[in-house]
Amino acid sequence: MIGTRQIESDEARRIVDSDAVRPPGELLRIAEAPYEDGRGGLGPEYGRDEEGPGRYLFSTEDADGIV
């Protein structure tokens, strides 16, 4: 993830539980919504934006390696 620091699973769970970010399943549904058959999201990751304090970023990679 460019410009981010990856968040480990314990911290990701904590920020999801605190409602600071949406759960990964919900974010994957949003990311896949524009595609008729979805994108087959794999390996979702949360990151902390290094340039915008207090911001979190989410990325995923599909089966073709597209982020």
Side-chain angles (χ1 to χ4, degrees):
M1 298 174 78
I2 299 172
T4 64
R5 177 184 59 80
Q6 184 175 348
I7 295 174
E8 299 302 324
S9 60
D10 289 343
E11 183 178 1
R13 192 172 307 114
R14 183 180 55 73
I15 63 172
V16 168
D17 289 346
S18 73
D19 292 327
V21 298
R22 295 178 181 183
E26 184 177 339
L27 292 173
L28 284 172
R29 282 191 301 279
I30 292 167
E32 292 180 345
Y35 303 97
E36 186 175 316
D37 296 324
R39 296 294 295 184
L42 304 171
E45 294 181 357
Y46 287 103
R48 186 179 300 277
D49 186 343
E50 293 178 338
E51 297 174 13
R55 287 183 40 174
Y56 296 100
L57 302 172
F58 176 83
S59 75
T60 188
E61 184 175 304
D62 70 12
D64 295 325
I66 298 171
V67 177

